[in-house]
Amino acid sequence: MQRCACRVKTAITKGNNHTAGCRCYHADTGGQPSQSNRSVQDSCWKIGKSIIQIAIVFLIAWSVFAEEAIEGYWIATNQVTGKYLCGWLLFIEDGVLYGRIVSAYGVTPETISVNCKTTYPDYPSDEPVNRLPIIGSIFMYGLTQTENGSWSGGYIIDPDSGNIYRCAITYHAANGRRYKKATLEMHGTLLTVPLGVSQYWPAGTQEEAEGIR
């Protein structure tokens, strides 16, 4: 009897042929894997490679989904009563997220944002902001995606007070528990002092977002 070079399994040899199959490293193969062991290794490599490819496809798909999911209609609400205060349309252009007010409580299409300043940092229009109508104008801008479902680096303007905040957004998919429907977690921080506030905006239909009076 001759012990296999891997010292794990004993194979009965007759001449130069093994009568017992062994998938280990053999002395008669120069310390290299046997043909059967190479097949096993090749299969493991292919399986591992497939898993990596699937994971990459999943991450890309989730990134695209998270980007597309944030576009659409959202409702700013009273965080205590849940009353609808303002409807927003969020959209992406060239990788940058913007938000346009499409309706607001107590605001008509003719209402001008007179409480705003003439201009704000990086505002995407040269037109004086305090001459823009509240309905239909952009009051959120400059956000870029930092990771899946998260956007930051931009601003949001409150046309009622004229205050501007640094803005960060996190998208939360509906899960039937805390988030009954898709929700945006909005966090705004004043530029002048490190004070911030968070709000949660539920997703809405176009009719809901445009119908606040």
Side-chain angles (χ1 to χ4, degrees):
M1 300 182 67
Q2 178 178 330
R3 184 170 294 276
C4 177
C6 68
R7 297 184 180 179
V8 173
K9 185 176 180 181
T10 299
I12 301 174
T13 61
K14 184 176 181 181
N16 292 326
N17 298 321
H18 287 279
T19 57
C22 179
R23 297 184 178 183
C24 305
Y25 289 80
H26 291 282
D28 58 359
T29 60
Q32 298 300 316
S34 64
Q35 186 62 39
S36 57
N37 195 44
R38 288 195 190 97
S39 298
V40 172
Q41 287 182 322
D42 289 345
S43 297
C44 292
W45 162 245
K46 291 176 181 177
I47 292 171
K49 188 177 181 181
S50 297
I51 292 173
I52 292 172
Q53 290 173 336
I54 292 171
I56 291 172
V57 171
F58 174 79
L59 289 174
I60 293 173
W62 169 248
S63 178
V64 172
F65 168 76
E67 181 173 305
E68 292 179 348
I70 202 169
E71 293 187 283
Y73 293 95
W74 304 89
I75 311 295
T77 66
N78 183 302
Q79 300 297 287
V80 176
T81 66
K83 179 180 178 180
Y84 285 10
L85 299 178
C86 184
W88 289 79
L89 172 62
L90 269 59
F91 59 96
I92 298 170
E93 285 188 1
D94 298 326
V96 179
L97 181 66
Y98 298 87
R100 189 188 307 277
I101 293 178
V102 294
S103 73
Y105 180 74
V107 175
T108 69
E110 293 76 29
T111 304
I112 304 299
S113 52
V114 294
N115 293 328
C116 289
K117 297 178 181 179
T118 302
T119 186
Y120 290 93
D122 303 323
Y123 190 76
S125 172
D126 293 331
E127 190 171 353
V129 180
N130 58 0
R131 296 182 183 176
L132 295 174
I134 293 177
I135 306 302
S137 295
I138 291 174
F139 288 100
M140 181 195 301
Y141 61 94
L143 287 85
T144 55
Q145 190 171 21
T146 54
E147 57 183 277
N148 292 339
S150 296
W151 298 72
S152 63
Y155 303 93
I156 185 169
I157 300 170
D158 176 4
D160 285 338
S161 65
N163 289 332
I164 184 172
Y165 301 83
R166 291 197 179 277
C167 182
I169 299 176
T170 302
Y171 170 82
H172 299 284
N175 57 19
R177 298 185 295 275
R178 179 177 182 181
Y179 303 108
K180 303 300 182 183
K181 58 172 64 176
T183 301
L184 296 185
E185 181 180 349
M186 308 286 301
H187 185 77
T189 306
L190 283 168
L191 302 188
T192 53
V193 291
L195 294 177
V197 62
S198 292
Q199 295 185 353
Y200 293 87
W201 296 2
T205 64
Q206 180 176 354
E207 183 179 6
E208 289 173 330
E210 294 180 348
I212 301 172
R213 301 289 185 268

